[in-house]
């Protein structure tokens, strides 16, 4: 039997209502904040991610699904959304009016060749926003607020916002040097990746899971001691805005995030619901002044986030938040003989044209078995078509909740059903 490829999974009809619910809250909230949806291709030129995610990142060095197409082009299945959105922003010159904040959101599958575990797969789903064009710290606070509001609307309570600043270019440069000076003497004791990181992006040593317990980690210099005045003021402004908006946060000096292009604000939202497992980051984001230029656009700043939708579904389950399913049909048509069958099929289409969700039997079942099927599908009403009644231009309707059945004219079926549906839920 052929099964799903390693690292992928099917989202079955029995679970799809959770995804629809999540997607609808994401859409509604993003649009409330005046973000517009953008859909970019699933695959892009490999170069985009090398430039846009960063040569030294785990994503680029180890995790990309990269292949040559038949035209010998190097293609990569997108591992994340920001580089794609920024590519589109540059390609379509969405910056035409430079005094404008371009607010975009996306959702869809992403691909990373990672080690499998609970909450981590090779095809997963992210939603994210990108606010491109302004350097105002309030944009950072707004982006964070938007994500927190999505969590609130989903009903997730056991989540925490961790925030940090990486400062501007100048502060980062100073800090980078301090980290090199600090880790160089113990270079040989660090993992192979961190030895490389020391040359390429020493900040990311702080993120390393392998060297987490090394003594040099505990004594590593802190970014907060290397921030210049501008960077401090920027961060203060973001935090004050968050307080104004009633958003709780915790400053986490060790938070650096995996991607190369962040500066100033970085943040992450984690869940602390018991039993969630080690993959407890739901997502996060940060400011990426410099990325648009890196991808060939003008020097405009940006701020965004990305959250894992698969993990959000797991978090909903872990917090035992139930989502109603509308697993029911309005009408099930019971046909009593071959002669009533043609009319049953015609009626089915008429009901559907009138937005009444309807179903019938396709297996020549006996009447009793058709009623059983109606129950299985949680039908609100059954319509029973009998030969004699039909000759008199009549059919029967049965309310499956009250079990009350009455006879109506075949000329008013859709109106009768609509009327009864209004009363049904009262
Ligand atoms: P990142 O783009 O690495 O910052 O990831 C943002 C969020 O996407 C993470 O916090 C996860 O919720 C989710 N995510 C990233 N990689 C995976 C994966 N392999 N499987 C499931 N979710 C993931």
């Amino acid at each position: 039997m052929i099964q799903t490829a390693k690292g992928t999974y099917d989202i079955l009809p029995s679970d799809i209502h959770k995804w629809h619910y999540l997607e609808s809250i994401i859409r509604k909230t993003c649009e409330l904040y005046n973000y517009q949806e953008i859909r970019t291709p699933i695959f892009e030129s490999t170069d985009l991610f090398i430039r846009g995610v960063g040569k030294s990142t785990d994503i680029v060095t180890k995790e990309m699904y990269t292949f040559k197409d038949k035209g010998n082009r190097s293609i990569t299945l997108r591992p994340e959304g920001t580089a794609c959105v920024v590519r589109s922003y540059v390609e379509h010159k969405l910056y035409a009016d430079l005094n404008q904040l371009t607010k975009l959101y996306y959702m869809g599958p992403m691909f990373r060749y990672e080690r499998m575990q609970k909450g981590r797969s090779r095809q997963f789903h992210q939603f994210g926003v990108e606010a491109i064009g302004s350097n105002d710290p309030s944009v950072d606070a707004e982006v964070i607020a938007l994500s927190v509001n999505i969590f609130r609307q989903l009903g997730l309570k056991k989540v925490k916002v961790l925030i940090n600043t990486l400062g501007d270019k100048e502060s980062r440069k100073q800090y980078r040097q301090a980290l090199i000076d600090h880790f160089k003497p113990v270079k040989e004791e660090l993992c192979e990746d961190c030895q490389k990181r020391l040359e390429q992006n020493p900040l990311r040593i702080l993120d390393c899971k392998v060297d987490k317990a090394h003594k040099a980690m505990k004594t590593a210099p802190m970014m907060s001691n290397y921030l210049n005045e501008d960077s401090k003021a920027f961060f203060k402004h973001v935090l004050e805005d968050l307080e104004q908006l009633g958003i709780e946060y915790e400053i986490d000096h060790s938070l650096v995030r995996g991607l190369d292009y962040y500066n100033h604000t970085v943040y992450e939202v984690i869940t602390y619901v018991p039993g969630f497992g080690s993959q407890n980051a739901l997502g996060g984001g940060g400011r990426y002044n410099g990325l648009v230029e890196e991808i060939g656009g003008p020097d405009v700043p940006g701020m965004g986030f990305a959250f894992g939708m698969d993990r959000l579904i797991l978090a909903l389950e872990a917090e035992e938040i139930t989502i109603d399913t509308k697993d029911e049909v309005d009408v099930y048509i019971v046909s009593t003989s071959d002669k009533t069958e043609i009319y049953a099929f015609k009626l089915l289409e008429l009901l559907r044209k009138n937005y009444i969700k309807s179903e019938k039997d396709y297996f020549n079942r006996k009447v009793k078995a058709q009623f059983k099927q109606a129950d299985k599908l949680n039908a609100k009403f059954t319509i029973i078509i009998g030969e004699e009644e039909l000759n008199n231009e009549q059919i029967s309707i049965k309310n499956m909740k009250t079990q009350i059945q009455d006879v109506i004219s075949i000329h008013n079926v859709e109106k009768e059903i609509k009327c009864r549906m209004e009363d049904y839920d009262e």
Side-chain angles (χ1 to χ4, degrees):
M1 186 182 44
I2 299 176
Q3 297 183 327
T4 46
K6 187 166 179 189
T8 67
Y9 67 99
D10 296 316
I11 301 168
L12 297 173
S14 52
D15 275 330
I16 202 72
H17 65 288
K18 297 178 193 169
W19 287 81
H20 288 166
Y21 174 71
L22 176 61
E23 287 159 11
S24 77
I25 288 194
I26 291 167
R27 260 179 225 295
K28 255 192 272 171
T29 316
C30 287
E31 287 181 15
L32 266 178
Y33 282 76
N34 198 28
Y35 283 74
Q36 289 180 305
E37 187 177 0
I38 183 164
R39 297 186 190 187
T40 63
I42 300 280
F43 61 82
E44 300 264 2
S45 299
T46 304
D47 278 351
L48 172 65
F49 302 111
I50 295 175
R51 273 160 68 177
V53 179
K55 267 203 290 287
S56 71
T57 57
D58 283 352
I59 291 183
V60 170
T61 55
K62 302 180 199 157
E63 297 169 359
M64 295 207 301
Y65 278 90
T66 298
F67 57 94
K68 285 271 168 76
D69 71 5
K70 290 193 169 66
N72 211 28
R73 300 170 196 92
S74 183
I75 296 291
T76 294
L77 300 185
R78 64 182 186 192
E80 58 100 54
T82 303
C84 311
V85 172
V86 171
R87 194 254 324 122
S88 181
Y89 171 88
V90 172
E91 186 172 334
H92 300 286
K93 298 195 171 50
L94 302 184
Y95 51 81
D97 177 359
L98 273 178
N99 286 321
Q100 187 187 311
L101 182 60
T102 306
K103 296 163 99 175
L104 305 165
Y105 77 92
Y106 62 87
M107 55 179 121
M110 307 290 164
F111 306 85
R112 293 183 198 172
Y113 193 80
E114 287 193 273
R115 207 166 44 77
M116 298 283 304
Q117 62 190 100
K118 188 179 167 209
R120 201 200 260 164
S121 47
R122 292 180 179 171
Q123 172 172 339
F124 59 99
H125 304 77
Q126 283 186 336
F127 77 93
V129 307
E130 312 298 345
I132 311 172
S134 166
N135 209 14
D136 186 337
S138 298
V139 172
D140 302 36
E142 183 189 282
V143 164
I144 297 171
L146 164 52
S147 58
V148 169
N149 267 329
I150 289 175
F151 292 121
R152 283 185 184 156
Q153 286 192 59
L154 288 169
L156 292 172
K157 297 211 165 56
K158 298 194 165 59
V159 291
K160 194 154 73 176
V161 176
L162 305 175
I163 191 167
N164 193 19
T165 177
L166 302 178
D168 60 10
K169 236 186 198 164
E170 186 194 283
S171 310
R172 245 181 106 150
K173 208 168 142 197
Q174 303 281 333
Y175 183 49
R176 187 188 140 90
Q177 195 51 52
L179 286 173
I180 295 175
D181 296 344
H182 176 77
F183 283 110
K184 214 165 195 170
V186 294
K187 184 176 171 186
E188 301 304 318
E189 296 165 26
L190 300 177
C191 73
E192 219 174 282
D193 282 342
C194 279
Q195 296 192 17
K196 277 192 217 137
R197 286 173 187 144
L198 191 59
E199 316 294 333
Q200 293 172 344
N201 191 351
L203 246 81
R204 299 214 13 266
I205 295 178
L206 303 175
D207 221 9
C208 180
K209 304 269 178 310
V210 182
D211 290 326
K212 203 162 62 185
H214 193 285
K215 59 182 185 308
M217 286 287 197
K218 291 188 189 70
T219 53
M222 290 207 300
M223 181 75 227
S224 50
N225 295 327
Y226 293 83
L227 295 175
N228 58 19
E229 289 312 310
D230 284 352
S231 301
K232 278 186 202 160
F234 192 99
F235 194 41
K236 188 164 167 266
H237 190 140
V238 175
L239 299 183
E240 280 170 3
D241 274 354
L242 290 177
E243 279 151 33
Q244 287 294 320
L245 300 179
I247 291 172
E248 288 176 28
Y249 59 81
E250 211 176 282
I251 296 178
D252 178 351
H253 292 294
S254 68
L255 184 67
V256 292
R257 308 260 319 140
L259 309 182
D260 274 358
Y261 49 61
Y262 286 117
N263 44 35
H264 284 297
T265 316
V266 284
Y267 84 106
E268 201 159 273
V269 179
I270 58 164
T271 170
Y272 53 90
V273 58
F276 195 78
S278 61
Q279 298 301 313
N280 67 343
L282 299 176
R287 182 161 274 284
Y288 48 79
N289 300 350
L291 177 65
V292 180
E293 202 178 11
E294 179 65 39
I295 291 180
D299 181 15
V300 289
M303 167 77 198
F305 67 60
F307 282 86
M309 295 169 75
D310 314 67
R311 277 193 209 164
L312 280 174
I313 300 274
L314 289 175
L316 286 171
E317 289 166 355
E319 290 209 25
E320 294 178 353
I321 296 167
T322 47
I323 298 149
D324 282 347
T325 51
K326 278 258 181 302
D327 211 3
E328 57 189 14
V329 299
D330 298 322
V331 173
Y332 188 91
I333 299 179
V334 174
S335 175
T336 57
S337 74
D338 290 349
K339 291 203 178 112
T340 57
E341 197 48 45
I342 292 176
Y343 176 72
F345 199 58
K346 200 171 121 188
L347 180 61
L348 189 66
E349 190 62 9
L350 174 78
L351 295 178
R352 289 170 176 171
K353 274 192 186 136
N354 281 279
Y355 303 100
I356 299 166
K357 185 173 170 184
S358 314
E359 193 52 284
K360 70 181 275 296
D361 169 55
Y362 299 96
F363 294 91
N364 247 329
R365 288 184 173 104
K366 299 257 178 329
V367 170
K368 204 170 153 198
Q370 290 185 53
F371 270 108
K372 243 194 191 156
Q373 195 59 20
D375 276 336
K376 220 172 170 182
L377 297 178
N378 298 318
K380 292 179 179 166
F381 298 93
T382 44
I383 287 180
I384 307 112
I385 310 172
E387 242 177 271
E388 230 182 282
E389 269 177 346
L390 196 57
N391 288 338
N392 295 328
E393 304 200 335
Q394 288 180 321
I395 52 169
S396 297
I397 299 186
K398 183 174 182 181
N399 179 322
M400 299 299 276
K401 194 157 68 179
T402 61
Q403 295 286 306
I404 294 171
Q405 182 170 329
D406 42 6
V407 178
I408 58 160
S409 152
I410 59 167
H411 300 296
N412 280 321
V413 182
E414 69 276 20
K415 280 198 197 102
E416 287 283 345
I417 294 280
K418 276 190 178 161
C419 229
R420 281 153 210 254
M421 271 167 49
E422 274 169 27
D423 295 340
Y424 187 88
D425 291 321
E426 281 172 7

